[in-house]
Amino acid sequence: MKLIGICMAAAMALIGSGCAGNANRAKAVTGQADSLYLLVGSYAPSQDEGIRVYVFNQETGKGTYRSGISGISNPSFLTPSADGSRVYAVGEDEGISSTANALAFDRAKGTLSLINSQPTNGGAPCNITLSPKEDYVLTANYAGGSVTVFPLGNRGELLAGDTLTFTGSGPDKERQAQPHLHSVLFTPDNRLLLANDLGTDRIHVFPVNDKKGEGLLNRAAAYDVQLAPGSGPRHTCFAPDGKHAYLITELSGDVIAISYDEMKLDTIQTIKADTLDAHGSADIHISPDGDFVYASNRLKGDGIAIFSVSSEDGTLEKVGYQPTGIHPRNFVITPNGKFLLVACRDTNEIQVFARDADTGLLKDTGEKIEMSKPVCLKFVPMN
């Protein structure tokens, strides 16, 4: 029995991803608006539009540019608030210039404006999330080997952060010489924060305080979970029923299926996503109907591994592999389940794939959104 860290894949339509259910569930989410805002984070110098806003039609698969904002260096990862009125972005610089950034999003106009920025005090923040009550923002600092917790002010602005620093290393001398925090996420029941540490093969687990005045995290009750040496835990997604989760490991290229019940997590299966031993698995999401898991791989045979989900026990079976552009990073599935969009960093494009709801397989539509070094994709409702 092994406790495994998890990353919440947005169960809400806001970020267009979902997870497992039963055999009789509908094959697509209905009642969704045809058009959504697509927010894209990228690697870009501060003088360029590092974050762009597109209007994406989830019935036709076509995207059109709406606006962009400059002023943030390397805004590679984003997270929107539940109502879409605010967006928080990292500034993934390596050193002391690394930042967390709060932005206001005018959904009527489709434009972003900067509220404020704060230093993360930990280099290369690569992931950012909001607390369940949206009163804190947290960043995972890859180069800093740390997590920074920012309280939020009345306007959603970031207040000065508190940085939690970790120690340790892993067996890969090049990739695991120190802690490398890669994601911060809350369990669906909002009872735990899990910080995935690629560098030490650990999940740093913090119970969440449920009373005001005690701070966000119960640090006295925190503990670490040691995963398989050299696995490199990166991202995970949760089933919408909260009973299963799927973890992608960057270095070993595995997808680990997990059962979850009353704060208890048990490994039930490990299956390969990266069969080429490329050590570059990246992101993982589940279709809104919960029938299929998708995992991106980079460095060799760039593409998306496709798995079907058993309605009986949540285990996976590999059913296909879809080649993509070079260096696929984050990807997202439309709320209606019709399309899967992939941020291909090194071909400077967002590819649009049609998704077969019955087989889970993907087909390149030929539709592309050209953008320099896209990394992160998030959907926000237009109204």
Side-chain angles (χ1 to χ4, degrees):
M1 187 177 294
K2 186 183 292 184
L3 178 63
I4 303 293
I6 31 187
C7 153
M8 185 184 279
M12 51 190 174
L14 178 67
I15 50 183
S17 216
C19 299
N22 59 61
N24 296 321
R25 60 186 169 270
K27 287 294 181 180
V29 177
T30 58
Q32 303 289 347
D34 287 352
S35 292
L36 304 162
Y37 285 122
L38 172 65
L39 277 58
V40 185
S42 70
Y43 287 121
S46 60
Q47 63 267 27
D48 291 350
E49 289 184 346
I51 305 175
R52 290 191 177 185
V53 180
Y54 296 86
V55 175
F56 186 82
N57 189 303
Q58 64 172 340
E59 292 295 332
T60 66
K62 295 182 181 295
T64 56
Y65 173 84
R66 172 61 65 90
S67 69
I69 186 170
S70 59
I72 302 173
S73 177
N74 294 315
S76 61
F77 201 89
L78 318 170
T79 189
S81 62
D83 65 3
S85 66
R86 289 171 285 121
V87 176
Y88 295 91
V90 300
E92 195 182 338
D93 286 354
E94 289 289 334
I96 61 173
S97 59
S98 59
T99 58
N101 304 272
L103 303 102
F105 186 45
D106 186 333
R107 289 194 295 165
K109 298 178 180 178
T111 56
L112 291 160
S113 57
L114 184 66
I115 299 174
N116 80 320
S117 302
Q118 289 282 1
T120 58
N121 298 314
C126 61
N127 189 255
I128 190 166
T129 194
L130 273 160
S131 64
K133 296 180 181 179
E134 298 198 341
D135 50 356
Y136 291 87
V137 161
L138 300 90
T139 62
N141 308 318
Y142 184 84
S146 59
V147 169
T148 309
V149 183
F150 298 93
L152 295 182
N154 294 333
R155 299 181 297 110
E157 74 273 19
L158 296 158
L159 304 180
D162 181 17
T163 303
L164 310 177
T165 302
F166 304 95
T167 61
S169 60
D172 187 319
K173 301 302 182 183
E174 181 180 356
R175 304 282 293 277
Q176 296 184 306
Q178 66 169 69
H180 290 302
L181 274 292
H182 220 301
S183 64
V184 279
L185 43 109
F186 292 89
T187 53
D189 56 12
N190 300 327
R191 299 172 74 179
L192 298 174
L193 170 78
L194 301 104
N196 290 352
D197 189 340
L198 181 148
T200 66
D201 301 310
R202 293 173 183 167
I203 311 301
H204 305 295
V205 184
F206 294 86
V208 176
N209 286 321
D210 57 4
K211 295 180 181 179
K212 288 187 176 181
E214 296 183 349
L216 176 64
L217 305 177
N218 183 348
R219 301 183 189 184
Y223 58 94
D224 290 346
V225 176
Q226 186 69 55
L227 306 183
S231 57
R234 185 176 167 107
H235 289 294
T236 319
C237 63
F238 244 114
D241 63 4
K243 295 180 179 180
H244 293 96
Y246 303 93
L247 168 68
I248 186 74
T249 62
E250 179 170 346
L251 301 183
S252 62
D254 294 320
V255 174
I256 302 172
I258 306 153
S259 66
Y260 179 68
D261 183 43
E262 290 297 318
M263 300 177 70
K264 182 180 179 182
L265 299 100
D266 296 301
T267 300
I268 58 176
Q269 181 194 25
T270 298
I271 188 170
K272 279 291 178 187
D274 167 22
T275 59
L276 300 177
D277 199 28
H279 306 288
S281 296
D283 198 13
I284 189 163
H285 292 290
I286 304 180
S287 57
D289 55 24
D291 288 339
F292 298 95
V293 168
Y294 300 84
S296 60
N297 298 296
R298 310 160 294 163
L299 307 182
K300 293 180 183 178
D302 293 22
I304 305 287
I306 306 167
F307 305 88
S308 64
V309 180
S310 168
S311 60
E312 299 296 323
D313 60 8
T315 57
L316 304 178
E317 179 183 357
K318 195 170 185 179
V319 295
Y321 196 87
Q322 176 62 52
T324 65
I326 301 173
H327 209 89
R329 296 288 292 252
N330 181 229
F331 60 93
V332 69
I333 303 169
T334 55
N336 65 5
K338 287 189 174 183
F339 297 99
L340 185 149
L341 286 67
V342 184
C344 299
R345 190 194 69 181
D346 292 356
T347 40
N348 300 309
E349 63 188 6
I350 300 163
Q351 287 183 296
V352 180
F353 294 91
R355 196 183 73 86
D356 188 309
D358 293 316
T359 66
L361 299 181
L362 304 174
K363 181 180 179 180
D364 192 349
T365 65
E367 294 287 343
K368 296 179 181 180
I369 299 173
E370 294 184 354
M371 179 176 171
S372 177
K373 298 186 183 306
V375 177
C376 179
L377 310 176
K378 298 289 184 179
F379 284 125
V380 171
M382 291 191 69
N383 47 46

